[in-house]
Amino acid sequence: MKNTLLITATLAALTLVGCKDETISGFADRKAVWKLLEIDRKPFDADATISFPKPGLINGQAPCNTYSSEQKAPYPWFEIGPIAATRMACEDMDAESNYFTALTQMRQVETSGDMLIMSNEAGRQMVFLAQR
């Protein structure tokens, strides 16, 4: 009985050690900063970025403020928690609001080379380009 428990515990530990990062950071370049090019097939005229520095975390620069959030779903799904952002005002507050609204509505993410595309079931889409 002790041998069976020891073998089971050892196999469980080896399984956990071999687990792969299933978040977007496991599939996208963690060092890349992704610059937003468009929302819903329209150019985004302000500056906004997103990055995936470690499993389960996103951060970036919105048009006015830096932000971070938890990425709660495994790749290729995308679901973020509440967004924590600094509270600076600027001329691009409307663009920032549009950015955060779109970002919280995204449900799927895929990467292909230097492009990252987020989308949802309603047809909304965000397109980013890697800045290295």
Side-chain angles (χ1 to χ4, degrees), residues 14-30:
L14 288 174
T15 301
L16 290 175
V17 169
C19 284
K20 181 179 170 188
D21 176 5
E22 292 293 330
T23 65
I24 181 62
S25 30
F27 294 88
D29 182 351
R30 287 186 196 187

Side-chain angles (χ1 to χ4, degrees), residues 89-104:
C90 77
E91 296 174 2
D92 290 328
M93 291 305 293
D94 287 341
E96 181 159 308
S97 178
N98 291 339
Y99 176 69
F100 285 146
T101 297
L103 191 62
T104 60

Side-chain angles (χ1 to χ4, degrees), residues 78 100-108 119-121 124:
F78 185 78
F100 285 146
T101 297
L103 191 62
T104 60
Q105 293 176 356
M106 296 299 110
R107 294 296 175 254
Q108 215 169 2
S119 60
N120 70 15
E121 58 282 344
R124 297 207 69 194

Side-chain angles (χ1 to χ4, degrees), residues 31-105:
K31 295 177 184 173
V33 174
W34 302 87
K35 182 178 179 357
L36 181 63
L37 299 179
E38 60 182 54
I39 296 178
D40 299 331
R41 295 161 191 82
K42 294 178 186 145
F44 190 73
D45 294 327
D47 289 328
T49 65
I50 190 168
S51 61
F52 305 91
K54 65 182 186 178
L57 178 68
I58 67 167
N59 62 31
Q61 177 67 50
C64 300
N65 294 284
T66 58
Y67 69 94
S68 64
S69 184
E70 178 185 14
Q71 196 330 81
K72 304 187 305 185
Y75 185 81
W77 308 113
F78 185 78
E79 180 184 352
I80 62 173
I83 295 173
T86 56
R87 295 177 177 250
M88 296 176 55
C90 77
E91 296 174 2
D92 290 328
M93 291 305 293
D94 287 341
E96 181 159 308
S97 178
N98 291 339
Y99 176 69
F100 285 146
T101 297
L103 191 62
T104 60
Q105 293 176 356

